[in-house]
Amino acid sequence: MFTTATTTSQKLLQMGAAILLFAAVIGLILFIAGRFTGKADRAVAALYLAPTVLMLSVGLLYPGLRTIYQSFFDASLKNFIGFENYATILSDPEQLTVLRNTAFWVLVTPFVATGVGLLYAILVDKARMESFAKALVFLPMSISFVAAGVIWKFMYEYRPDQGTVKQIGLINQIIVWLGGEPVQLLIESPLNTFLLIAVMVWIQAGFAMTVLSAAIKAIPDDIIEAARLDGVGPWGMFRFVTLPAIRPAVIVVVTTIAIGTLKVFDIVQTMTGGRFDTSVIANEFYSQTFRSDNRGLGAALAVVLFILVIPIVVYNIRQLRRSEA
Amino acid sequence: MFVQRGSSRSRVALAGALSAGLVLGLSACADSKEDGGTGTVPAASVGAIDCAPYAAFGDLKGKEVSIYTGIVTPEDAPQKQSYKPFEDCTGVTIKYEGDKSFETQVLIRAEAGNPPDVAYVPQPGLLQRLVATGKAKEAPAETAALVDKNFGADWKAYGTVDGKFYAAPLGANVKSLVWYSPKEFKDNGYTVPTTLADLKALSDKIAATGKKPWCAGISSGEATGWPLTDWMEDFYLRLNGVEAYDKWVKHELPFNSAESTKALDAVGEYLKNDKYVNGGLGDVKSIASTTFQDAGLQIIEGNCSLHRQASFYAANFDKNTKVAEDGDVYAFYLPGETADKKPVLGGGEFVLAFADRPEVKAFQTYLATDTWANAKAKVSSGWVSANKGLQISNLVNPIDQLSAKILQDPNAQFRFDGSDMMPAAVGSNAFWKQSTNWITGQDTKTTLDAIEAAWPK
């Protein structure tokens, strides 16, 4: 059953077996849980949690620990080299560029995307054709990062200013219309990193707008009414009423986008492949592990990514707890 | 994303169990890629073969051999077609799986203990890494004997790791080619250069007319930069000779030695020369952002005259373009320093097996025969083999015939693509990356020093 299935019938059989196994495990848990009577809450809870814990340890904890372990080894994972991989990440000029780019991404994307989303949500709130206007901004959300990368690669496409050659990229065409010379947008560093960030903002602004718009609509009307009666202007309304009311939502949006941004891989891989000084940690980790066959450095990069995500997750959880307390 | 606090415990458990089921279910269909399309209808038949040699492997009826390769549409169709006689003879079914990310995936599959029966490995460096996983099998004696008979010792050496012979050569390509327009040459009285000095003189001559003679592009996704490594390898061979080249590839000569500087600077005289590049595409920097596929098409557009690229580039021209010595576009051998010195840079794939079942051995043996090479020649375009038994007349495409002639030339000194033989950290990372930096403005010394620093200690 665990061998590779080759024919369709074998695959169906495997799938059936997997579903049966799943049902059997659930059945077993329910059966055992049913045996407990009276005040055995903890035992029942532990039982219910057991499969999750097991899966988490096999699928997350063990690989995580193993990655950390491997990050102390050399390219072939044979020789222990201590913190050398981490030293490389912090000293090698190429790796420093990777860290710099990652910093750009994390510092710019969440705030710009949330800002754009928030502004849009406020502007279209209770406007005519609100849902249509929202749909326009939300649509990019449904496009995969790879597809978005391909689309924007065309936006930035460069053709030389030679004879009959026509621009096919929108941005360069606009530059030409304005009387400028076409620019090789994706080659100039660090401009290119910000052009890639624009793609992420384009995708995530819709997400920010949707969540924040819902939060704005959830503000009780009487508060707004009271503020109006007190003579609060539009800016004051935003500053003293709207923003405090939607603060938890803003934090969730910013942190969610920040985590997504740290993991960004597809956009970079599709648009530049990490060339021209645009690589970020997630892309470099892949490139070192699979392209360059430097497993140790790849693992170390993954660990760095993990470490960078932790404070954001912790902050997110603390804010959620506080807002619910 | 939005974890709701206080969700019931049973729901959490259910989610866990559900994901477990999903994982199991998904893994069951993970490798359910359908066996590709049937490909195009054959223009010519490959004909029947002598079945006797395969009888020795026993009764193979109903058996299956799985192949995993980076050869995808449209080049996979003639591949599949050329297996037909073998399938008919032995009753073995060949299960073909082409994948664009073959080069990274095959290693993962081998390490995870899920390798195919046979993999077509395009790089000797990757071959060594695959052998290092301990999952690969040595080539059967029958295959080895055929390789001794049909291929040069150099080709056998590329398939040998630590003195053990693993992989027989499959296809080959010639990289030392310069694409040009025969019509343009005729109209302007240009002649095909036979020495490097001639090539330079020709470039100057074209540049004097106000046209940028060369067009080049090195963009290729995450592999961006590889066409430049080919340029450098070609010039390394020509300016430093094959012995130095062999040492360079094995790192017996450092990457930042005088030989490398000479080679890269010679490339720079062409590609970093504003008078020479980049016809129809922009300035020198535009080489970095132009795909290698697009660059050569400028010859057809009349924007440039010369494009250095391998024999497989023929596939990039559309159907209305006549690729022939008297056609719209054709290629000539990138000349050596003198007319009688003929170093040839090339590449190819090797057949590595991860199983030693009789049907797998029989198939490996079939692929090493000249029978297969000739059968394949009849149905393909943009393909050639280093098999000495391959008859040039069986090749359909003029470029393939030219490539075969270059490969079989007694003066030719064939050398495999160097970056494909270097360790991955250099050959498929630093060398590509630094070449890209070089073309966008980095100087030669910084470039070579950085590649040397990337060599695994």
Side-chain angles (χ1 to χ4, degrees):
Chain A
M1 181 188 138
F2 289 105
T3 54
T4 315
T6 45
T7 64
T8 314
S9 57
Q10 271 175 320
K11 279 168 196 160
L12 281 174
L13 202 71
Q14 263 190 353
M15 206 167 73
I19 293 170
L20 278 180
L21 193 72
F22 167 67
V25 171
I26 295 292
L28 190 71
I29 293 169
L30 289 177
F31 173 73
I32 299 175
R35 308 286 295 180
F36 288 102
T37 46
K39 293 197 168 186
D41 274 357
R42 282 186 169 276
V44 174
L47 204 63
Y48 276 126
L49 279 174
T52 315
V53 170
L54 183 75
M55 284 301 157
L56 275 180
S57 18
V58 174
L60 209 63
L61 198 62
Y62 171 72
L65 290 175
R66 191 158 170 79
T67 305
I68 295 172
Y69 174 73
Q70 286 181 341
S71 70
F72 298 113
F73 284 79
D74 69 349
S76 59
L77 296 182
K78 286 197 184 94
N79 308 306
F80 184 82
I81 54 166
F83 283 91
E84 212 170 286
N85 286 322
Y86 294 95
T88 308
I89 295 173
L90 295 174
S91 65
D92 181 62
E94 214 169 279
Q95 300 300 328
L96 284 175
T97 310
V98 170
L99 292 184
R100 181 202 71 179
N101 291 342
T102 308
F104 282 160
W105 276 87
V106 180
L107 292 177
V108 174
T109 321
F111 298 103
V112 175
T114 311
V116 170
L118 182 59
L119 190 69
Y120 199 83
I122 292 171
L123 287 180
V124 301
D125 195 42
K126 298 193 181 99
R128 274 197 303 148
M129 312 254 288
E130 183 183 343
S131 39
F132 176 72
K134 278 180 169 173
L136 282 183
V137 176
F138 187 71
L139 276 176
M141 263 301 273
S142 60
I143 298 174
S144 78
F145 284 10
V146 173
V150 172
I151 293 169
W152 278 82
K153 206 166 175 237
F154 280 114
M155 296 282 282
Y156 297 144
E157 189 69 48
Y158 159 88
R159 284 289 180 274
D161 193 11
Q162 275 180 9
T164 56
V165 183
K166 293 247 178 12
Q167 297 298 325
I168 62 168
L170 179 66
I171 311 278
N172 265 319
Q173 183 60 67
I174 291 172
I175 293 175
V176 170
W177 275 333
L178 295 175
E181 291 245 324
V183 191
Q184 297 185 56
L185 294 162
L186 287 176
I187 287 188
E188 304 300 334
S189 173
L191 168 75
N192 47 13
T193 292
F194 291 100
L195 292 175
L196 299 193
I197 290 174
V199 182
M200 187 74 160
V201 169
W202 180 70
I203 298 173
Q204 298 288 13
F207 160 71
M209 183 271 297
T210 316
V211 176
L212 298 176
S213 177
I216 291 171
K217 295 211 182 298
I219 302 173
D221 281 340
D222 42 355
I223 299 182
I224 300 173
E225 203 80 350
R228 284 239 173 83
L229 288 175
D230 287 345
V232 176
W235 171 248
M237 184 70 86
F238 173 74
R239 176 75 185 75
F240 299 109
V241 179
T242 314
L243 200 57
I246 63 167
R247 195 170 165 272
V250 171
I251 288 167
V252 169
V253 169
V254 170
T255 48
T256 307
I257 297 180
I259 294 170
T261 306
L262 270 174
K263 295 188 296 182
V264 71
F265 165 80
D266 330 42
I267 294 176
V268 176
Q269 183 74 10
T270 318
M271 293 183 69
T272 61
R275 290 291 182 278
F276 319 118
D277 292 340
T278 56
S279 196
V280 291
I281 294 180
N283 183 70
E284 190 65 17
F285 143 63
Y286 170 85
S287 157
Q288 287 296 343
T289 309
F290 298 114
R291 271 265 160 236
S292 198
D293 201 23
N294 192 340
R295 305 294 166 97
L297 187 58
L301 283 160
V303 173
V304 169
L305 193 59
F306 180 61
I307 293 170
L308 288 177
V309 173
I310 290 175
I312 304 178
V313 175
V314 169
Y315 178 73
N316 198 347
I317 293 172
R318 287 178 60 141
Q319 289 299 324
L320 277 177
R321 282 217 178 123
R322 193 180 297 168
S323 68
E324 280 171 18
Chain B
M1 257 186 303
F2 304 101
V3 182
Q4 281 201 336
R5 264 162 57 86
S7 65
S8 75
R9 286 163 189 168
S10 60
R11 216 183 289 166
V12 175
L14 186 70
L18 211 110
S19 58
L22 266 179
V23 167
L24 286 170
L26 280 179
S27 66
C29 12
D31 49 357
S32 68
K33 220 173 258 174
E34 289 302 320
D35 328 352
T38 39
T40 45
V41 182
S45 160
V46 293
I49 56 164
D50 175 18
C51 296
Y54 311 105
F57 290 99
D59 182 19
L60 305 175
K61 273 199 185 59
K63 296 287 194 314
E64 219 177 58
V65 176
S66 65
I67 303 175
Y68 186 49
T69 164
I71 302 172
V72 294
T73 330
E75 285 143 278
D76 58 346
Q79 281 288 350
K80 289 177 197 163
Q81 217 180 318
S82 67
Y83 309 145
K84 195 88 185 28
F86 175 78
E87 291 181 299
D88 290 346
C89 269
T90 56
V92 173
T93 310
I94 306 294
K95 217 185 119 231
Y96 190 97
E97 185 187 347
D99 180 359
K100 272 191 171 173
S101 7
F102 167 83
E103 282 160 45
T104 47
Q105 291 303 316
V106 69
L107 200 65
I108 296 169
R109 279 180 65 171
E111 278 172 355
N114 181 28
D117 292 334
V118 170
Y120 293 164
V121 186
Q123 302 171 352
L126 180 60
L127 184 78
Q128 286 167 14
R129 286 160 71 195
L130 285 168
V131 169
T133 63
K135 304 273 165 53
K137 305 279 187 224
E138 279 183 60
E142 293 88 345
T143 310
L146 280 167
V147 170
D148 285 333
K149 183 178 144 237
N150 291 331
F151 292 89
D154 49 346
W155 278 93
K156 192 182 181 193
Y158 298 133
T160 305
V161 181
D162 294 333
K164 289 178 185 162
F165 177 64
Y166 284 90
L170 188 76
N173 57 64
V174 170
K175 299 205 175 197
S176 304
L177 292 180
V178 178
W179 292 85
Y180 73 107
S181 157
K183 189 175 175 304
E184 184 196 356
F185 270 46
K186 203 175 152 212
D187 291 351
N188 293 286
Y190 303 145
T191 49
V192 167
T194 49
T195 66
L196 274 182
D198 281 357
L199 186 67
K200 202 63 184 266
L202 175 66
S203 307
D204 283 330
K205 203 168 167 182
I206 299 173
T209 68
K211 187 178 182 181
K212 302 271 173 77
W214 290 85
C215 45
I218 63 164
S219 180
S220 179
E222 61 168 343
T224 294
W226 73 258
L228 246 181
T229 69
D230 284 4
W231 266 90
M232 181 177 167
E233 285 153 11
D234 248 336
F235 276 83
Y236 201 107
L237 273 173
R238 278 159 184 74
L239 301 178
N240 304 311
V242 288
E243 286 81 15
Y245 181 85
D246 292 341
K247 283 186 186 165
W248 176 61
V249 170
K250 288 182 205 143
H251 204 217
E252 287 164 15
L253 273 174
F255 209 107
N256 50 358
S257 71
E259 286 85 354
S260 297
T261 312
K262 202 169 151 191
L264 193 55
D265 280 343
V267 175
E269 283 179 35
Y270 287 90
L271 296 185
K272 280 190 159 185
N273 186 340
D274 282 326
K275 291 197 183 73
Y276 281 9
V277 291
N278 193 7
L281 298 163
D283 55 5
V284 170
K285 273 191 180 179
S286 69
I287 292 175
S289 57
T290 307
T291 63
F292 75 96
Q293 291 100 331
D294 283 348
L297 301 179
Q298 296 298 327
I299 299 177
I300 306 288
E301 305 291 326
N303 292 325
C304 73
S305 309
L306 304 161
H307 178 61
R308 199 223 72 105
Q309 194 48 268
S311 51
F312 53 69
Y313 193 75
N316 286 290
F317 297 105
D318 66 28
K319 287 211 167 60
N320 303 322
T321 309
K322 191 180 173 196
V323 182
E325 204 162 0
D326 56 349
D328 305 308
V329 70
Y330 196 55
F332 59 78
Y333 163 75
L334 176 71
E337 278 204 293
T338 58
D340 54 339
K341 263 198 189 163
K342 288 198 167 162
V344 178
L345 186 73
E349 313 91 33
F350 298 86
V351 183
L352 182 65
F354 292 94
D356 49 8
R357 303 193 308 273
E359 62 271 25
V360 178
K361 286 182 174 177
F363 185 59
Q364 280 177 282
T365 306
Y366 171 64
L367 292 180
T369 58
D370 50 359
T371 318
W372 176 76
N374 282 306
K376 175 76 170 61
K378 284 178 197 160
V379 289
S380 34
S381 165
W383 180 90
V384 67
S385 164
N387 196 314
K388 287 181 209 154
L390 174 70
Q391 275 159 25
I392 295 179
S393 58
N394 277 334
L395 291 161
V396 192
N397 195 316
I399 276 294
D400 298 337
Q401 293 174 353
L402 174 76
S403 307
K405 266 181 220 153
I406 293 174
L407 282 176
Q408 294 180 3
D409 185 332
N411 278 336
Q413 286 179 299
F414 182 86
R415 282 299 179 275
F416 207 91
D417 185 319
S419 60
D420 285 349
M421 293 197 287
M422 293 172 184
V426 179
S428 44
N429 194 33
F431 199 177
W432 292 351
K433 261 191 207 165
Q434 294 301 329
S435 301
T436 310
N437 292 349
W438 179 79
I439 204 71
T440 52
Q442 187 171 285
D443 64 87
T444 301
K445 187 175 182 314
T446 314
T447 306
L448 296 176
D449 288 349
I451 304 173
E452 172 63 22
W455 204 288
K457 273 123 209 145

PDB file of all heavy atoms in Angstrom, chain A residues 269-284:
ATOM      1  N   GLN A 269      11.171  34.446  -7.536  1.00  0.00           N
ATOM      2  CA  GLN A 269      11.580  33.335  -8.401  1.00  0.00           C
ATOM      3  C   GLN A 269      11.063  33.539  -9.824  1.00  0.00           C
ATOM      4  O   GLN A 269      11.788  33.333 -10.791  1.00  0.00           O
ATOM      5  CB  GLN A 269      11.032  32.024  -7.812  1.00  0.00           C
ATOM      6  CG  GLN A 269      11.430  30.781  -8.563  1.00  0.00           C
ATOM      7  CD  GLN A 269      12.889  30.427  -8.325  1.00  0.00           C
ATOM      8  OE1 GLN A 269      13.536  30.997  -7.467  1.00  0.00           O
ATOM      9  NE2 GLN A 269      13.402  29.497  -9.085  1.00  0.00           N
ATOM     10  N   THR A 270       9.822  33.973  -9.966  1.00  0.00           N
ATOM     11  CA  THR A 270       9.228  34.124 -11.289  1.00  0.00           C
ATOM     12  C   THR A 270       9.802  35.317 -12.038  1.00  0.00           C
ATOM     13  O   THR A 270      10.072  35.240 -13.228  1.00  0.00           O
ATOM     14  CB  THR A 270       7.700  34.338 -11.175  1.00  0.00           C
ATOM     15  OG1 THR A 270       7.196  33.452 -10.202  1.00  0.00           O
ATOM     16  CG2 THR A 270       7.021  34.098 -12.495  1.00  0.00           C
ATOM     17  N   MET A 271       9.991  36.412 -11.327  1.00  0.00           N
ATOM     18  CA  MET A 271      10.322  37.643 -12.043  1.00  0.00           C
ATOM     19  C   MET A 271      11.809  37.831 -12.295  1.00  0.00           C
ATOM     20  O   MET A 271      12.186  38.337 -13.347  1.00  0.00           O
ATOM     21  CB  MET A 271       9.742  38.844 -11.301  1.00  0.00           C
ATOM     22  CG  MET A 271       8.218  38.814 -11.337  1.00  0.00           C
ATOM     23  SD  MET A 271       7.474  40.223 -10.555  1.00  0.00           S
ATOM     24  CE  MET A 271       7.908  41.551 -11.658  1.00  0.00           C
ATOM     25  N   THR A 272      12.651  37.473 -11.352  1.00  0.00           N
ATOM     26  CA  THR A 272      14.084  37.671 -11.576  1.00  0.00           C
ATOM     27  C   THR A 272      14.898  36.429 -11.240  1.00  0.00           C
ATOM     28  O   THR A 272      16.091  36.371 -11.518  1.00  0.00           O
ATOM     29  CB  THR A 272      14.635  38.814 -10.696  1.00  0.00           C
ATOM     30  OG1 THR A 272      14.431  38.452  -9.336  1.00  0.00           O
ATOM     31  CG2 THR A 272      13.972  40.119 -10.990  1.00  0.00           C
ATOM     32  N   GLY A 273      14.269  35.438 -10.609  1.00  0.00           N
ATOM     33  CA  GLY A 273      15.014  34.257 -10.173  1.00  0.00           C
ATOM     34  C   GLY A 273      16.083  34.615  -9.145  1.00  0.00           C
ATOM     35  O   GLY A 273      17.048  33.889  -8.966  1.00  0.00           O
ATOM     36  N   GLY A 274      15.912  35.744  -8.496  1.00  0.00           N
ATOM     37  CA  GLY A 274      16.888  36.166  -7.493  1.00  0.00           C
ATOM     38  C   GLY A 274      18.097  36.853  -8.105  1.00  0.00           C
ATOM     39  O   GLY A 274      19.033  37.211  -7.399  1.00  0.00           O
ATOM     40  N   ARG A 275      18.085  37.049  -9.429  1.00  0.00           N
ATOM     41  CA  ARG A 275      19.208  37.714 -10.075  1.00  0.00           C
ATOM     42  C   ARG A 275      19.158  39.226  -9.840  1.00  0.00           C
ATOM     43  O   ARG A 275      18.152  39.736  -9.359  1.00  0.00           O
ATOM     44  CB  ARG A 275      19.185  37.445 -11.590  1.00  0.00           C
ATOM     45  CG  ARG A 275      19.516  36.011 -11.936  1.00  0.00           C
ATOM     46  CD  ARG A 275      20.975  35.706 -11.650  1.00  0.00           C
ATOM     47  NE  ARG A 275      21.310  34.338 -12.032  1.00  0.00           N
ATOM     48  CZ  ARG A 275      21.081  33.275 -11.294  1.00  0.00           C
ATOM     49  NH1 ARG A 275      20.517  33.393 -10.123  1.00  0.00           N
ATOM     50  NH2 ARG A 275      21.415  32.073 -11.708  1.00  0.00           N
ATOM     51  N   PHE A 276      20.215  39.897 -10.219  1.00  0.00           N
ATOM     52  CA  PHE A 276      20.323  41.358 -10.132  1.00  0.00           C
ATOM     53  C   PHE A 276      20.071  41.845  -8.711  1.00  0.00           C
ATOM     54  O   PHE A 276      19.345  42.815  -8.484  1.00  0.00           O
ATOM     55  CB  PHE A 276      19.358  42.042 -11.118  1.00  0.00           C
ATOM     56  CG  PHE A 276      19.293  41.374 -12.460  1.00  0.00           C
ATOM     57  CD1 PHE A 276      18.109  40.830 -12.941  1.00  0.00           C
ATOM     58  CD2 PHE A 276      20.439  41.238 -13.231  1.00  0.00           C
ATOM     59  CE1 PHE A 276      18.071  40.183 -14.161  1.00  0.00           C
ATOM     60  CE2 PHE A 276      20.398  40.598 -14.460  1.00  0.00           C
ATOM     61  CZ  PHE A 276      19.215  40.068 -14.923  1.00  0.00           C
ATOM     62  N   ASP A 277      20.637  41.123  -7.731  1.00  0.00           N
ATOM     63  CA  ASP A 277      20.523  41.505  -6.329  1.00  0.00           C
ATOM     64  C   ASP A 277      19.085  41.646  -5.852  1.00  0.00           C
ATOM     65  O   ASP A 277      18.746  42.611  -5.175  1.00  0.00           O
ATOM     66  CB  ASP A 277      21.269  42.842  -6.080  1.00  0.00           C
ATOM     67  CG  ASP A 277      22.775  42.650  -6.232  1.00  0.00           C
ATOM     68  OD1 ASP A 277      23.228  41.497  -6.136  1.00  0.00           O
ATOM     69  OD2 ASP A 277      23.485  43.654  -6.436  1.00  0.00           O
ATOM     70  N   THR A 278      18.228  40.702  -6.209  1.00  0.00           N
ATOM     71  CA  THR A 278      16.847  40.778  -5.730  1.00  0.00           C
ATOM     72  C   THR A 278      16.485  39.616  -4.830  1.00  0.00           C
ATOM     73  O   THR A 278      15.350  39.505  -4.400  1.00  0.00           O
ATOM     74  CB  THR A 278      15.842  40.768  -6.901  1.00  0.00           C
ATOM     75  OG1 THR A 278      16.095  39.596  -7.681  1.00  0.00           O
ATOM     76  CG2 THR A 278      15.950  41.995  -7.751  1.00  0.00           C
ATOM     77  N   SER A 279      17.442  38.722  -4.562  1.00  0.00           N
ATOM     78  CA  SER A 279      17.098  37.528  -3.793  1.00  0.00           C
ATOM     79  C   SER A 279      16.661  37.892  -2.372  1.00  0.00           C
ATOM     80  O   SER A 279      17.113  38.874  -1.801  1.00  0.00           O
ATOM     81  CB  SER A 279      18.303  36.599  -3.733  1.00  0.00           C
ATOM     82  OG  SER A 279      17.910  35.316  -3.321  1.00  0.00           O
ATOM     83  N   VAL A 280      15.749  37.101  -1.838  1.00  0.00           N
ATOM     84  CA  VAL A 280      15.318  37.243  -0.447  1.00  0.00           C
ATOM     85  C   VAL A 280      15.547  35.908   0.250  1.00  0.00           C
ATOM     86  O   VAL A 280      15.837  34.907  -0.404  1.00  0.00           O
ATOM     87  CB  VAL A 280      13.831  37.643  -0.351  1.00  0.00           C
ATOM     88  CG1 VAL A 280      13.618  39.052  -0.836  1.00  0.00           C
ATOM     89  CG2 VAL A 280      12.969  36.671  -1.123  1.00  0.00           C
ATOM     90  N   ILE A 281      15.387  35.879   1.567  1.00  0.00           N
ATOM     91  CA  ILE A 281      15.776  34.675   2.314  1.00  0.00           C
ATOM     92  C   ILE A 281      15.100  33.410   1.786  1.00  0.00           C
ATOM     93  O   ILE A 281      15.760  32.405   1.548  1.00  0.00           O
ATOM     94  CB  ILE A 281      15.479  34.846   3.823  1.00  0.00           C
ATOM     95  CG1 ILE A 281      16.381  35.947   4.390  1.00  0.00           C
ATOM     96  CG2 ILE A 281      15.747  33.550   4.569  1.00  0.00           C
ATOM     97  CD1 ILE A 281      16.171  36.205   5.860  1.00  0.00           C
ATOM     98  N   ALA A 282      13.781  33.484   1.582  1.00  0.00           N
ATOM     99  CA  ALA A 282      13.071  32.267   1.175  1.00  0.00           C
ATOM    100  C   ALA A 282      13.576  31.765  -0.171  1.00  0.00           C
ATOM    101  O   ALA A 282      13.687  30.559  -0.414  1.00  0.00           O
ATOM    102  CB  ALA A 282      11.570  32.527   1.122  1.00  0.00           C
ATOM    103  N   ASN A 283      13.901  32.685  -1.068  1.00  0.00           N
ATOM    104  CA  ASN A 283      14.405  32.296  -2.381  1.00  0.00           C
ATOM    105  C   ASN A 283      15.839  31.774  -2.282  1.00  0.00           C
ATOM    106  O   ASN A 283      16.201  30.780  -2.906  1.00  0.00           O
ATOM    107  CB  ASN A 283      14.334  33.503  -3.320  1.00  0.00           C
ATOM    108  CG  ASN A 283      14.766  33.146  -4.724  1.00  0.00           C
ATOM    109  OD1 ASN A 283      14.065  32.427  -5.422  1.00  0.00           O
ATOM    110  ND2 ASN A 283      15.938  33.613  -5.123  1.00  0.00           N
ATOM    111  N   GLU A 284      16.621  32.434  -1.452  1.00  0.00           N
ATOM    112  CA  GLU A 284      18.014  32.046  -1.300  1.00  0.00           C
ATOM    113  C   GLU A 284      18.127  30.669  -0.644  1.00  0.00           C
ATOM    114  O   GLU A 284      18.995  29.868  -0.995  1.00  0.00           O
ATOM    115  CB  GLU A 284      18.741  33.104  -0.450  1.00  0.00           C
ATOM    116  CG  GLU A 284      20.247  32.960  -0.416  1.00  0.00           C
ATOM    117  CD  GLU A 284      20.909  33.184  -1.768  1.00  0.00           C
ATOM    118  OE1 GLU A 284      20.266  33.751  -2.668  1.00  0.00           O
ATOM    119  OE2 GLU A 284      22.075  32.772  -1.922  1.00  0.00           O
TER     120      GLU A 284
END
